Amino acid sequence: MAGTGVRVRLLGPVEVIVAGSPQAVNGLRRKAVLATLALHVGRVVSVDRLLDVVWGDHLPATAANTLQRHVSYLRGVLGEPGSIVARQPGYLLDTGPDSTDVQVAERLIELARRSTDGHEQVKHLTAAVALWRGPPLADVAGSAWLEEQAEHLARLRLEAERSLVEARLSVGEHAGILPGLERLVRQHPFDEHLHAQLMLALYRDGRQGEAVAAYRRLRDNLRENLGIDPGPRMRDLECAILRQDTAIAAPAPVVTAPVAAQLPPPVPTFTGRAAELAALEALVERGGAVVVSGTAGVGKTALAVHWAHRAAARFPDGQLYVNLRGFDPAATPTDPARALHGFLEALGVPAARMPSDLDAMVSLYRTTLAGKRLLVVLDNARDAEQVRPLLPGSPHCLAIVTSRDQLIPLVVTESAQPVPLDLLSPGEARDMLVRRLGERQVAAEPAAADDIADRCARLPIALAIVAARAATNRQFSLAAVAGELGDLDAFHAGDEATDVRAVFSWSCRTLSPPAARLFRLLSLHPGPDVSAPAVASLAGADGPAIGPLLTELTRANLFTEHTHGRYAFHDLLRAYAASLADDAEPPAEQRAAVHRLLDHCLHTAHAADLALHPHFSAISLLPPRAGVLPERPRNRSAAAAWFGTEIPVLLAAVPLAARSGFEGHAWRLAWTMAGFLHRQGHWQDWLGTQRIALAAASRIGDQAGQGHAHRSLGLACSRLRRYDEADDHLRRALDLFTDVGDDAGRAHTCLNLGQLAERQGQHQQALTHSRRALALFRRAGNRAGQGYTLNAVGWQEALLGNYHSALASCGEALRMLQEVDDVQGQADTWDSLGHAHHQLGDDRRAIACYEHALELFTQVHDRYAEASTYVNLGGSHRALGDLGATRAAWRRALTILDELGDADADSIRANLDQLDASRLR
């Protein structure tokens, strides 16, 4: 049986909650399958029945197979393979008791029916009615059976609401039910039972005339629309009201303990947070504790209070609230004994019974809550020790704890459910501005509104401060308001509670000195995120020492581990950390930290590049500074994975190095990532980094650096079909390498000139350049270079029609490249051999060569070359008449080229269209 953490919600849109988190169910028919099984939870639903419900009269031939796939998908959503059991003649949802909101509602309604205590009835029925989130099964329209079930569930809700009104009337709550009862009467204008309840509630509230008027409106409505009069019960009730019959008077009030209602008012402009609200909803029946954690100003209190008001009806025994002042500049954290004293007072404990020591207070608090259904909001907690005494012991109570700390000890020892709160999404940030400024103002300047959201890092407190400024200065355009947001001083609304800088400082005060220093130094990292080894190098500390400091920062929500081993903070926190660094860290120490970071990036990137392309060429590096621990990717796959993760950081590190006076690092970093950017098809990034590299190398007069940058720019321009620019850059590179006596650089550049000539259809000129490169590589003794260039010679010979010469050149190239274990070069050469065999009519051998090439291109993650080889493979399959294999190869090529955004995709798409057209003829 599936775990108790699974809940299927049907009383509204169909939803799944697993361990407190909402899980998306995509697709109308998948939702229909889930809803059908959930309405029969614990019972087998036959395949025939499911097919009829889901497809009705439009049953496709593949419906049975599709149903199996839908069931498999739903098992994945529910999180356990055993959640849906295959049992003849169909399937059974096995998620345990109370695993659907329908089950819970029916149980609560039955408990109320059996109870003879009016207050118990109110408690159970209030909780039941609160389970409806809107029209039941709202998003599975189109199935006749499910629409019938939706009508049944709607009737069940109405019956529960009628019973709740009856129960509340029986305990003297006639005044409190009037707003909701009037809404029900408007929704059901012919319902005599509801009208009778309304008349009775109005009469008991001292509004005899309105009660009689309600009867007469019903009578007139029935006559006009249905041609009938109210029934005898209604007429009798009207008479009883007119004569003020004591039999219908309100029951004598029962003296009860006060119901605590301590929640602060909700934020009227609260918006978004759908996933977090759904997670809280799912935890209502579970009870226990929830920890809402997040960085300063992210809206933890607003979320907790908003949801608490929304859920208050499900906690009829009251709602307790305390601000624990865990991060408050003006007060010390609230003592748990003081908080308990306030709670016990609110629960009606007289002063004479109030204990004096903490343990006795905890015992009385939990005894008082035993058997009750009560919500406790513990806001702004400092740590787990402050919270533990305030947690209820009753399983029917729920405690919501908010804190800047993640309060992991509570998650471990108290099984508290974590609900982490992140920055608003772009859509939520815009909605918040709309709620505060109005739709018209935001719609008039949508770009400025988005700019404000970005400059506020989508942090709710920052958005609120800026929106308040815009709202109180309507003469300012939003663009003008956005233009003021240059630094943290703009995020200040008059006191410490609305000063972003001050709010952040309250979190930083809790840090140890080493963690505070690390927080400051992290502002020097260019982002967008950082690994733990890079943090260690930045700080000049070893790995074991940096781990606890990162944990301290993440627990304080000043730094976020957004994915395993990757850390980041938002722009406003970065700006705050930078201001602290400027105040506390000497310029020399900041420069030394940047130097260590750039050394880490450069030496690790160089090692990763060599792991991918070990024998072709390399640049020389100075040893890293003390305190730098570069990473060493253990193999090609690890190197490619490292580049794939770190490339955004490296792209930011190049301009950081250039503007910080580390020009040598700038051009060398650009050199180390050029191969990866090339192989992944990131040609615009390649072009941009090399332009920065060229400017940096030029500033310090480094001719070798300029030569490498010009050569790389030539390659990038060639890929982007900017051939004149490519030729200019490559010829400048050739001159620079000649000036500094770099034969390997000259050889590479000649090889690249050959590739450029080939791209322009100048095959004889390309062959000349390649043979010149071969002579230079032989003089330099570079075996990998010779292998690459022999392959280029062979390829160009094939383009000139000399296929047997091409096979000889490429065969020699392959042997050399296998000797030095250069996988990239081998892959290129297998592709060339495939082309020569294809041109000679030996397509089976060509296919074998292409398949070798594809296997190796995958290893080195050269996506553009992989796509090109798939195109060639498709051509050989077509020559053999295997159009299915042709289509498969070309579609794979098209997928890759589309992902790369390459213009060659259009020609492949045209070839596929032509292939499909020929099949139809």
Side-chain angles (χ1 to χ4, degrees), residues 207-227:
R207 297 154 67 178
Q208 181 184 17
E210 292 178 54
V212 173
Y215 169 79
R216 291 173 180 169
R217 279 197 304 273
L218 172 66
R219 182 193 62 196
D220 294 345
N221 201 13
L222 289 173
R223 286 176 177 175
E224 181 179 346
N225 291 284
L226 303 179

Side-chain angles (χ1 to χ4, degrees), residues 730-731 733-735 737-738 742-754 764-780 785-786 789-790 792-793 796:
L730 290 173
R731 294 193 183 280
L734 192 60
D735 291 342
F737 287 133
T738 301
D742 185 347
D743 282 347
R746 291 172 62 205
H748 276 295
T749 308
C750 288
L751 180 59
N752 301 147
L753 282 165
Q764 189 59 57
Q765 186 177 343
L767 183 58
T768 301
H769 283 303
S770 296
R771 285 173 173 163
R772 184 181 176 195
L774 181 60
L776 288 166
F777 276 128
R778 283 173 173 162
R779 191 163 75 189
Q786 292 174 57
T789 311
L790 275 169
V793 167
Q796 285 143 14

Side-chain angles (χ1 to χ4, degrees), residues 681-689 691 716 720 722:
H682 300 318
W683 297 314
Q684 291 293 348
D685 287 334
W686 185 13
L687 194 68
T689 56
R691 284 174 173 161
L720 292 167
R722 292 152 64 167

Side-chain angles (χ1 to χ4, degrees), residues 432-439 441-442 467-468 470-471 474 478:
M432 182 174 175
L433 291 175
V434 169
R435 294 290 298 273
R436 287 178 174 265
L437 299 175
E439 178 69 43
Q441 188 171 5
V442 174
R474 293 285 182 178
L478 292 185

Side-chain angles (χ1 to χ4, degrees), residues 603-641:
H603 284 268
T604 308
H606 189 250
D609 186 57
L610 289 180
L612 288 170
H613 207 176
H615 297 288
F616 199 10
S617 68
I619 54 173
S620 59
L621 305 180
L622 293 173
R625 288 172 64 89
V628 177
L629 297 172
E631 300 164 70
R632 302 293 179 193
R634 62 187 181 277
N635 53 37
R636 292 187 187 95
S637 294

Side-chain angles (χ1 to χ4, degrees), residues 616 747-748 750-756 758 763-774 777 784-800 802 805-806 809-814 817 825 828-830 832-833 835:
F616 199 10
H748 276 295
C750 288
L751 180 59
N752 301 147
L753 282 165
Q755 293 164 342
L756 176 61
E758 174 210 316
H763 302 311
Q764 189 59 57
Q765 186 177 343
L767 183 58
T768 301
H769 283 303
S770 296
R771 285 173 173 163
R772 184 181 176 195
L774 181 60
F777 276 128
Q786 292 174 57
Y788 271 87
T789 311
L790 275 169
N791 175 52
V793 167
W795 175 255
Q796 285 143 14
E797 287 173 334
L799 294 177
L800 289 166
N802 301 322
S805 296
S809 297
C810 292
E812 185 181 354
L814 184 61
L817 293 163
D828 291 335
T829 306
W830 278 115
S832 300
L833 287 166
H835 175 73

Side-chain angles (χ1 to χ4, degrees), residues 339-391:
L340 280 171
H341 190 282
F343 282 174
L344 289 169
E345 280 186 333
L347 292 168
V349 174
R353 289 187 57 210
M354 196 72 69
S356 57
D357 70 276
L358 179 62
D359 289 343
M361 286 179 126
V362 172
S363 177
L364 179 58
Y365 169 62
R366 289 177 178 162
T367 299
T368 305
L369 295 186
K372 294 184 181 295
R373 190 170 180 83
L374 194 128
L375 178 64
V376 182
V377 179
L378 306 173
D379 193 21
N380 196 13
R382 180 64 169 262
D383 53 36
E385 290 307 308
Q386 187 188 30
V387 169
R388 280 197 179 96
L390 306 177
L391 295 177

